[in-house]
Amino acid sequence: MLISSLRGRLFAGLTVFIVGTGVAAGYLAFRWAFEEAIELQDAILLQVGSLASKSHLTDLPAEGSIDGEARVVIDELTPRPGDPAPAGSLPRLPQDLPDGLQTIKRGAEQWRILVRTRKDGSRVAVGQPTANRDEVAQDSALRTVVPLGLLVPGLMLLIGIVIDRSLRPLSKLAERLDAKQSAHLEKLPTDGIPKELLPFVASINRLLDRIGTMFDKQRRFVADAAHELRSPITALSVQVENLERAGLSEDGRVRLESLKAGIRRTAHLLEQLLALARYDADADAEMPDSEFDRIVKEIVADLLPVAQERSIDLGFARIENVSVRGDPVALAMLVRNLIDNALRHTPAGGRVDVSLFRQGEAVTLQVVDTGPGILDAEIDRIFEPFFRGSRSRGDGTGLGLSIVRRIAEWCHGSIRLENVGPPDGPGLSACVTFTAVSETTSQA
Ligand SMILES: Nc1ncnc2c1ncn2[C@@H]1O[C@H](COP(=O)(O)OP(=O)(O)O)[C@@H](O)[C@H]1O
Ligand SMILES: [Mg+2]
């Protein structure tokens, strides 16, 4: 039998042990108490026997308070005239019984008999049915076993509680590990942890440390690679500008344009990669307060020409003066990515509504568009780097939403994407929520 849980193993092992010990102890206690009670009854027989051998006693009188079955019966083996017949309808005892204690069959029952010979040669027997003696002995023996019988379940309950308590730090530890997000790899605390678990916690902490170092290395590699690629891309751009001035044929100009577009896309990808690597860093960095409404207005103003070019109605549904704790450059990047996505996926003639408002302690930025929305099957993967949905339009990198989410989390906020169904949709609503900074709460 294999029990996979430590709790189960401990409990099963201890239960087997306790029940086993309990049964053995119960059996022994019963036997000893039983034998003791039988010996006690023999002693009584001996006492009554010695009384009966001293004087000529007939049957002991039946006292009201004595259990009739427990009574000791006295028989004269050599009856004199006038002696009463043996009690009830018991057959007479044989004359030739030897002196002393013995167990014999008398009628249908077993009897325990003590035979004595008096000085005058007459003989007397005192006796009790063994069934009665056994019953009395069993009763008293059972009474010694009862407390044991109560002790075993009591002990098992206690053990269950102790095991549960002792193993609680383990489940707590697992919960803490599960709650860890990849970006926050701070060590597990060691105080309050049982001694046996300390080496385990220490090695988990060393592992977390190594993972943290690995993350750092990976981040630095991406940032360095993107950074290193910037110079050749800039050099390429300069060369393209030079070519433009060199006076090309019509065909050459067309090709040059597509080369320029390619270089722009690559430069954009590099910027996004750099951003992704940058905002992955230390989440506990000290954040300044930023006037979020000003940032949002700037980005919207910046993107208005793009919206007009695509005949999309970009505007504010609601805007309040709010500040949030966060890096302004990062916040601007977040807003730009969201509105850029909305503009890119909304067909000509559609709308993109931006709202910024405060509700209690929460500041919400909402960007709602009238595009196709995101397929339900893809909505879980949409924040993965380089993932682009099957309905994506334009030449994106698939990094935008990853960056948005990292920035939101970096600034202790969260993002939620939701498809807007009919009658207001189809479309996508992107909501980013931050904690408000308390001072600036006046309405615009
Ligand atoms: N407003 C939107 N409407 C519809 N689909 C969207 C919208 N925003 C993002 N998506 C989907 O999410 C994918 C990932 O977005 P993102 O990470 O910004 O990458 P990119 O914009 O570079 O494609 C997009 O490829 C697109 O399929
Ligand atoms: Mg995007």
Side-chain angles (χ1 to χ4, degrees):
M1 180 187 59
L2 249 177
I3 301 174
S4 57
S5 97
L6 205 55
R7 194 184 307 248
R9 268 188 228 177
L10 272 173
F11 193 71
L14 286 171
T15 300
V16 168
F17 178 73
I18 287 176
V19 171
T21 319
V23 167
Y27 174 76
L28 287 178
F30 183 87
R31 286 242 42 106
W32 287 332
F34 186 83
E35 278 158 21
E36 197 63 33
I38 292 287
E39 271 170 32
L40 198 72
Q41 296 185 87
D42 279 350
I44 291 172
L45 269 190
L46 283 169
Q47 280 174 8
V48 175
S50 81
L51 266 180
S53 66
K54 286 212 169 61
S55 57
H56 200 79
L57 281 180
T58 53
D59 232 4
L60 289 179
E63 292 273 346
S65 59
I66 294 179
D67 186 355
E69 292 190 326
R71 236 166 30 148
V72 176
V73 174
I74 301 178
D75 274 343
E76 291 297 333
L77 288 188
T78 46
R80 289 177 296 194
D83 276 347
S89 53
L90 282 173
R92 275 219 168 275
L93 286 164
Q95 300 266 340
D96 55 352
L97 281 176
D99 275 8
L101 273 169
Q102 53 218 286
T103 308
I104 61 161
K105 197 142 174 86
R106 191 179 188 193
E109 292 174 316
Q110 291 270 14
W111 279 68
R112 185 76 171 155
I113 301 281
L114 172 74
V115 181
R116 286 264 166 140
T117 306
R118 299 200 186 91
K119 282 196 182 110
D120 62 1
S122 65
R123 302 183 77 212
V124 66
V126 295
Q128 272 182 315
T130 52
N132 295 349
R133 291 159 48 95
D134 288 353
E135 200 185 306
V136 171
Q138 253 166 26
D139 269 4
S140 75
L142 269 182
R143 254 162 248 184
T144 62
V145 177
V146 168
L148 254 181
L150 291 178
L151 187 70
V152 168
L155 263 181
M156 276 160 60
L157 186 73
L158 190 75
I159 282 178
I161 293 173
V162 170
I163 290 178
D164 193 62
R165 291 252 163 145
S166 316
L167 292 184
R168 208 165 288 165
L170 257 186
S171 20
K172 280 234 182 78
L173 203 64
E175 271 167 30
R176 277 214 198 107
L177 272 177
D178 278 343
K180 272 197 189 307
Q181 291 165 348
S182 58
H184 307 278
L185 291 173
E186 79 273 10
K187 294 185 170 157
L188 291 171
T190 46
D191 18 294
I193 299 286
K195 234 178 18 211
E196 292 78 1
L197 285 184
L198 277 180
F200 188 58
V201 173
S203 54
I204 290 180
N205 279 343
R206 281 193 295 276
L207 187 67
L208 286 175
D209 212 39
R210 283 204 295 277
I211 294 175
T213 317
M214 244 159 60
F215 272 148
D216 275 346
K217 272 191 189 150
Q218 187 213 19
R219 233 175 349 242
R220 228 170 298 139
F221 176 78
V222 172
D224 288 350
H227 195 79
E228 288 300 315
L229 281 170
R230 256 176 165 179
S231 325
I233 293 291
T234 314
L236 277 179
S237 306
V238 172
Q239 290 305 327
V240 166
E241 270 168 36
N242 290 343
L243 261 182
E244 250 178 337
R245 280 199 289 273
L248 290 174
S249 64
E250 196 50 38
D251 188 31
R253 274 188 188 288
V254 173
R255 279 156 203 257
L256 191 65
E257 273 315 309
S258 72
L259 182 61
K260 267 164 81 179
I263 291 175
R264 248 199 326 273
R265 272 202 303 277
T266 314
H268 177 61
L269 172 63
L270 287 183
E271 287 313 316
Q272 298 273 62
L273 271 177
L274 270 173
L276 199 60
R278 192 176 314 133
Y279 300 124
D280 209 8
D282 183 12
D284 294 328
E286 196 52 46
M287 298 273 183
D289 293 348
S290 303
E291 292 171 54
F292 201 19
D293 53 306
R294 220 168 45 89
I295 296 172
V296 176
K297 281 178 196 155
E298 268 171 25
I299 302 285
V300 168
D302 215 24
L303 289 173
L304 265 182
V306 183
Q308 269 159 8
E309 193 185 305
R310 307 208 41 225
S311 347
I312 292 169
D313 177 9
L314 169 64
F316 290 108
R318 183 179 175 189
I319 181 146
E320 294 174 8
N321 284 359
V322 289
S323 287
V324 296
R325 188 148 293 153
D327 176 51
V329 179
L331 289 172
M333 183 136 211
L334 174 146
V335 179
R336 183 181 291 276
N337 263 298
L338 283 182
I339 300 180
D340 172 72
N341 275 355
L343 288 177
R344 208 135 38 82
H345 294 93
T346 302
R351 298 168 55 94
V352 173
D353 289 325
V354 180
S355 316
L356 179 65
F357 54 91
R358 177 179 169 148
Q359 259 175 335
E361 286 304 296
V363 167
T364 302
L365 168 76
Q366 189 180 27
V367 180
V368 185
D369 61 44
T370 53
I374 296 174
L375 289 176
D376 284 339
E378 292 174 350
I379 212 153
D380 287 337
R381 297 194 55 201
I382 214 75
F383 290 106
E384 286 175 18
F386 300 110
F387 181 82
R388 304 193 67 209
S390 47
R391 287 180 186 164
S392 70
R393 298 159 61 123
D395 41 29
T397 57
L399 289 176
L401 286 177
S402 316
I403 294 173
V404 168
R405 184 159 78 171
R406 286 219 184 141
I407 292 176
E409 283 171 1
W410 195 52
C411 302
H412 305 289
S414 62
I415 174 163
R416 209 179 61 240
L417 293 186
E418 251 170 24
N419 284 314
V420 187
D424 304 323
L428 188 79
S429 150
C431 268
V432 191
T433 310
F434 299 101
T435 316
V437 175
S438 36
E439 297 87 44
T440 50
T441 52
S442 56
Q443 295 277 311

